[in-house]
Amino acid sequence: MGMFSKRQPGRGGSTSSSLTAAERQNQGSVAALETGVYDDTPRPFITWRVVAMGILVSMGGLIFGYDTGEISGFLTMPNFLQEFGEPDPGTGKYAFSNVRSGLIVAMLSIGTLFGALIAAPIANAIGRKHSISIWCVVFMVGLIVQIATPIGKWYQIVVGRLVAGFGVGALSIMVPLFQSETAPSHIRGSIVCAYQLFITLGILIAYIINYGTNTIQSTASWRITMGIGFVWALVLGFGIMLFPESPKYAYRKGRTEEARQTMRKMLGVSANHRQVARELREMKEKLDAELAGDDPWYKVFTGPRMGYRTMLGISLQAFQQLTGANFFFYYGTSIFTATGLSNSYVTSIILGTVNVAFTFPGLYFVERFGRRPCLVIGGIWMSVCFLIFASVGHFALDQIEPTNTPKAGAAMIVFACLFIVAYASTWGPMVWTVTGEMFPYRYRATCMSISTASNWTWNFLLAFFTPFITSAIDFRYGYVFAACCLAAAATVYFFLLESSGRTLEEIDTMYVTHVSPRDSKKWVAPDDGEDLIPNRGVKKEEEDLGVEKRVEDRGGVL
């Protein structure tokens, strides 16, 4: 007996002819689940489809990480300096001014800021997976502009990075969004964290390629590195078309059967499994509640607990930058040249390897220990590392002749690595996870765009102003990051709810019902058959009428 063998009326017995076919399909299918026969067989912990989705979609992170790593190496690459730098009249050596290096590095972040902001409406209009393909094309256009740059025209590099930034910024929204809406709840955190894993992998690959090409005495030294970036965009752009649309998006568009089949395949269960039925029921309850009210754009700040969540998302994404990680990733080769190392590319590869290696534990920690403990401990750990790094750099390192203080330089490298251990296993991957979970579907794409725009804004500010700041206060800059890391840990402790193992609909309910962050791990979700919407049982009939009127007001469009 199939779970959809009977058609049942919607909530409260309403069968109004004003409902669209999509609305009737959604209500009828989920109502059938309430009387169907459920399959309660144990579900597999993970399926090959989830693994494939996690790996392929995370290529968006590899695109971002690769670009970050390559530009770090370009700033000290002999041919890149000769072609786009400025000669020193005294020594004849080429170098970048603070303004020029700041623009080359930071212009990507300006593009990512705007890409992040415009990604949401496009994703809501044409779907998640098609948006990902489009933004891969935009990124490749930016690469073409950069590779085609004539000798001396450094501003064309800047323009190309701006265009590529549109794609990188949009993908930084679309990848965690698609993963959080598609992955099963019990491993959602690990799958979304894979995005950060691929960022770190991209950084490392770029470091290694730069190490191999930096001695080439022609423009091939940097054009080869740029050109390899096409591979990642092509794999993601074409590969995503092999996957179904996000089940949350499909359901909201009235494609209930498509959503059900996608969930069934990702969970590795039968079509009438209890978990599939439960998630469909939760999606229907949330959709009914949303259709009963208005949804103007400002509801991302004024909707139920939306101001709290939106500001929290903005803060967490900002703090991910203010931890200071990109201080090492953007300017790593320059920083370690200042500590007296003869080959700073080697040190960058070491840091990149640490970054990749310790992101793997983060995939385990996020589900085993939860989001909140990891982020709090990680913030404190990073703060201590920066305090020591800054103190040694300012008080112990001979900044005029670093080779006179080799132990100080070695200590700085050690604590840089320890910082990256903490960042890679906590704040690097987990911020993408929590900002992909905390918003309800209606506002999720928009709120993730706003939150991630905060990340890219600070990315730009740090990338552009870091050369000026380090020139003025040298390694004392680390004290600023140490304070920000402590503030980040406090923000998580006092404001972020624990969301490990929860469905997205349950997480929304936790925020709406004002669950205390410190008690959120112990919160018990309603049993099957109970309503996720607070006080909804008192107003069911009124809400049914509201849903129908809402559909009528939209001209019959769900």
Side-chain angles (χ1 to χ4, degrees), residues 107-117 162 164-166 168-170 172 456:
M107 196 51 64
L108 180 91
S109 301
I110 292 293
T112 56
L113 170 62
F114 289 102
L117 289 173
L162 176 68
F166 287 128
V168 172
S172 72
W456 291 117

Side-chain angles (χ1 to χ4, degrees), residues 139-187:
F139 172 76
M140 288 189 286
V141 170
L143 285 184
I144 292 171
V145 173
Q146 292 177 75
I147 293 173
T149 301
I151 295 174
K153 307 296 184 182
W154 65 272
Y155 45 83
Q156 185 167 324
I157 293 286
V158 172
V159 172
R161 285 179 61 75
L162 176 68
V163 175
F166 287 128
V168 172
L171 289 172
S172 72
I173 299 295
M174 298 313 307
V175 169
L177 180 62
F178 185 89
Q179 290 174 324
S180 65
E181 291 185 352
T182 306
S185 59
H186 63 288
I187 54 170

Side-chain angles (χ1 to χ4, degrees), residues 61-72 74 104-105 108 139 143 146 160-161 164-165 168 202-203 206 226 232 330:
L62 198 146
I63 290 171
F64 169 33
Y66 186 81
D67 192 277
T68 298
E70 72 176 12
I71 200 63
S72 173
F74 289 171
I104 290 174
V105 173
L108 180 91
F139 172 76
L143 285 184
Q146 292 177 75
R161 285 179 61 75
V168 172
I203 293 172
M226 285 183 180
W232 327 128
Y330 280 142

Side-chain angles (χ1 to χ4, degrees), residues 38-302:
Y38 297 125
D39 175 5
D40 287 316
T41 57
R43 66 184 187 223
F45 180 75
I46 195 169
T47 65
W48 70 266
R49 287 185 174 90
V50 172
V51 173
M53 182 272 291
I55 292 174
L56 180 91
V57 180
S58 293
M59 294 293 290
L62 198 146
I63 290 171
F64 169 33
Y66 186 81
D67 192 277
T68 298
E70 72 176 12
I71 200 63
S72 173
F74 289 171
L75 294 180
T76 56
M77 192 172 284
N79 183 264
F80 196 81
L81 279 167
Q82 183 177 341
E83 302 297 345
F84 304 114
E86 300 167 283
D88 185 323
T91 64
K93 294 182 179 180
Y94 286 85
F96 287 113
S97 66
N98 288 339
V99 172
R100 189 171 295 190
S101 65
L103 285 173
I104 290 174
V105 173
M107 196 51 64
L108 180 91
S109 301
I110 292 293
T112 56
L113 170 62
F114 289 102
L117 289 173
I118 63 179
I122 295 175
N124 288 335
I126 67 173
R128 284 37 171 155
K129 75 172 190 176
H130 293 102
S131 295
I132 290 174
S133 290
I134 290 172
W135 291 115
C136 286
V137 173
V138 173
F139 172 76
M140 288 189 286
V141 170
L143 285 184
I144 292 171
V145 173
Q146 292 177 75
I147 293 173
T149 301
I151 295 174
K153 307 296 184 182
W154 65 272
Y155 45 83
Q156 185 167 324
I157 293 286
V158 172
V159 172
R161 285 179 61 75
L162 176 68
V163 175
F166 287 128
V168 172
L171 289 172
S172 72
I173 299 295
M174 298 313 307
V175 169
L177 180 62
F178 185 89
Q179 290 174 324
S180 65
E181 291 185 352
T182 306
S185 59
H186 63 288
I187 54 170
R188 183 181 60 245
S190 297
I191 295 299
V192 178
C193 283
Y195 172 66
Q196 177 66 22
L197 172 63
F198 274 68
I199 292 177
T200 66
L201 186 61
I203 293 172
L204 177 60
I205 292 173
Y207 284 165
I208 293 172
I209 294 174
N210 277 340
Y211 176 71
T213 64
N214 82 94
T215 56
I216 298 175
Q217 299 302 312
S218 71
T219 59
S221 61
W222 49 273
R223 282 185 166 135
I224 289 173
T225 308
M226 285 183 180
I228 291 173
F230 280 103
V231 175
W232 327 128
L234 288 170
V235 170
L236 176 59
F238 284 107
I240 190 65
M241 302 309 295
L242 302 176
F243 286 85
E245 184 54 89
S246 147
K248 309 288 185 185
Y249 180 85
Y251 183 84
R252 297 302 177 107
K253 294 300 180 180
R255 306 191 318 246
T256 307
E257 182 64 18
E258 179 184 338
R260 181 169 65 92
Q261 290 299 325
T262 300
M263 287 190 292
R264 176 187 71 78
K265 292 175 182 177
M266 291 296 171
L267 287 166
V269 297
S270 63
N272 66 328
H273 195 275
R274 185 177 297 275
Q275 182 64 23
V276 175
R278 178 171 176 259
E279 294 193 23
L280 280 172
R281 176 180 62 81
E282 290 175 354
M283 283 192 280
K284 179 184 184 300
E285 289 175 0
K286 293 295 182 181
L287 179 60
D288 284 354
E290 292 172 9
L291 289 174
D294 295 324
D295 57 349
W297 68 269
Y298 56 80
K299 282 293 188 74
V300 298
F301 296 102
T302 63

Side-chain angles (χ1 to χ4, degrees), residues 361-430:
L363 306 186
Y364 172 73
F365 294 162
V366 69
E367 299 296 354
R368 175 63 180 83
F369 302 110
R371 283 65 158 155
R372 280 171 48 83
C374 292
L375 290 171
V376 171
I377 293 171
I380 295 171
W381 182 342
M382 291 186 295
S383 179
V384 171
C385 289
F386 250 124
L387 282 172
I388 298 173
F389 179 90
S391 298
V392 173
H394 180 67
F395 295 107
L397 183 72
D398 184 341
Q399 296 183 34
I400 297 175
E401 190 58 54
T403 54
N404 292 336
T405 50
K407 291 183 178 179
M412 293 177 70
I413 294 171
V414 168
F415 280 96
C417 288
L418 289 174
F419 168 88
I420 291 174
V421 167
Y423 178 82
S425 57
T426 58
W427 276 85
M430 293 183 195

Side-chain angles (χ1 to χ4, degrees), residues 431-462:
V431 167
W432 298 109
T433 298
V434 296
T435 53
E437 295 174 333
M438 67 172 64
F439 305 112
Y441 178 89
R442 190 199 311 189
Y443 310 117
R444 186 172 299 132
T446 302
C447 289
M448 287 184 67
S449 289
I450 294 172
S451 299
T452 307
S454 163
N455 185 302
W456 291 117
T457 299
W458 283 102
N459 189 305
F460 165 75
L461 293 173
L462 293 173

Side-chain angles (χ1 to χ4, degrees), residues 468-516:
F468 298 95
I469 296 172
T470 53
S471 296
I473 62 173
D474 61 72
F475 292 104
R476 285 174 291 180
Y477 194 21
Y479 294 134
V480 177
F481 294 127
C484 289
C485 289
L486 283 180
T491 299
V492 170
Y493 181 78
F494 289 109
F495 301 107
L496 181 69
L497 299 186
E498 180 56 63
S499 52
S500 177
R502 311 285 189 187
T503 67
L504 297 179
E505 289 73 23
E506 289 172 349
I507 296 167
D508 181 39
T509 299
M510 291 169 69
Y511 277 102
V512 171
T513 55
H514 293 255
V515 173
S516 168

